[in-house]
Amino acid sequence: MSDPQRDIATTGPEGPDAPLHRRGIKSYVLRAGRMTQAQTRGLEEVWPRLGLTLADGRQDLDALFGRRAPRVVEVGFGMGASLVEQAETHPDTDFIGIEVHAPGVGKLLDEADKRGLTNLRVYREDALAVLEQCLPEASLDTLQLFFPDPWPKKKHHKRRIVQPAFVELIRTRLKLGGKLHMATDWQAYAEWMAEVMAAAPGYVNSATPETAPYVPRPAFRPLTKFEARGERLGHGVWDLIFERSE
């Protein structure tokens, strides 16, 4: 018999003291998918050079990349096209991608290898665990969260990755002045993100009064094929950028 208290839907963002792994709830669902030859190559041949695991422990990012440089982490990079483009366009910046789905990880690794990228590393792990266990405090210039699963049904809102405890964890990993950059094509989720961030301590919104709480799509965020198609169909996209202020 189910516990009725465990079946109550979350109707708003959880409080800042809520555990990040409350009842084992995940913000993603692992989906089975066929692997292409290129994706398999990425996982088998490129992973040993560019892949990271929780077992590697807390990272010294300067030692990991062999230099001191701006650091960007992207949570949930999908098939990796945007992240690869950023890493290729900004060779003076180091990027870490976090994604749980094997086809996307394999695709990104294959592309990174073909383009000779050395400023990119990849985790195939739960992003919360990577942030908690592997990334040092005050080590990141930017954390990107582009088009996360909106979990549109009210009973699933507790699965949304953007929660007060999550953005507080990110704040501790950002440098002072570091940026949390989110984007979504679901207006209701954009409003949820704005609500969470408005209540989050230690952040300031980068938006101007004319566009607040959102910002125009920054030129440095690559336009994905999915997003371009949505724009042609008149779908909206909302970007939010908040800086760590304390």
Side-chain angles (χ1 to χ4, degrees):
M1 180 180 295
S2 64
D3 179 351
Q5 291 301 313
R6 293 169 65 90
D7 294 336
I8 295 175
T10 301
T11 57
E14 296 187 355
D17 297 326
L20 287 167
H21 297 280
R22 185 174 65 85
R23 299 199 307 270
I25 291 173
K26 299 290 188 182
S27 62
Y28 58 86
V29 174
L30 286 173
R31 302 177 179 87
R34 297 183 63 182
M35 298 283 293
T36 67
Q37 185 175 359
Q39 291 164 359
T40 300
R41 173 186 173 274
L43 288 175
E44 293 180 352
E45 299 181 19
V46 187
W47 175 267
R49 288 190 290 108
L50 302 183
L52 299 168
T53 70
L54 296 180
D56 295 324
R58 185 81 64 189
Q59 294 288 344
D60 178 334
L61 298 183
D62 289 351
L64 177 66
F65 288 99
R67 64 178 182 176
R68 181 167 296 179
R71 304 273 155 67
V72 176
V73 168
E74 182 164 336
V75 171
F77 56 75
M79 297 306 289
S82 171
L83 185 54
V84 165
E85 181 178 337
Q86 290 180 77
E88 186 172 44
T89 304
H90 302 283
D92 294 331
T93 299
D94 295 329
F95 293 84
I96 296 175
I98 308 173
E99 176 60 65
V100 295
H101 297 99
V105 173
K107 175 67 172 176
L108 178 136
L109 289 170
D110 180 65
E111 283 294 322
D113 183 60
K114 288 177 178 176
R115 301 184 191 201
L117 301 181
T118 60
N119 61 331
L120 178 61
R121 299 292 186 274
V122 182
Y123 281 96
R124 187 186 169 196
E125 305 278 5
D126 184 315
L128 297 178
V130 173
L131 288 166
E132 289 175 327
Q133 301 174 35
C134 303
L135 299 180
E137 294 187 4
S139 64
L140 307 179
D141 294 89
T142 303
L143 189 136
Q144 300 176 163
L145 182 67
F146 297 156
F147 307 101
D149 193 326
W151 293 102
K153 293 183 179 179
K154 191 174 183 179
K155 66 180 181 180
H156 291 153
H157 285 182
K158 59 183 175 288
R159 293 186 176 273
R160 288 175 169 175
I161 193 170
V162 178
Q163 303 282 351
F166 177 65
V167 300
E168 171 58 20
L169 174 60
I170 291 172
R171 188 186 69 84
T172 67
R173 269 46 185 176
L174 291 173
K175 299 175 182 177
L176 284 175
K179 296 178 174 61
L180 168 57
H181 182 187
M182 299 179 287
T184 180
D185 58 341
W186 284 75
Q187 184 173 2
Y189 199 10
E191 293 168 354
W192 171 290
M193 291 173 172
E195 177 186 348
V196 170
M197 296 308 299
Y203 283 101
V204 294
N205 196 340
S206 297
T208 65
E210 292 75 20
T211 64
Y214 311 112
V215 299
R217 183 181 74 85
F220 58 78
R221 179 170 71 75
L223 184 68
T224 66
K225 292 181 180 179
F226 171 81
E227 186 179 355
R229 179 178 179 274
E231 285 190 351
R232 290 196 299 270
L233 295 174
H235 298 170
V237 172
W238 293 265
D239 282 79
L240 302 93
I241 298 180
F242 285 78
E243 295 184 7
R244 179 182 177 181
S245 60
E246 60 182 68

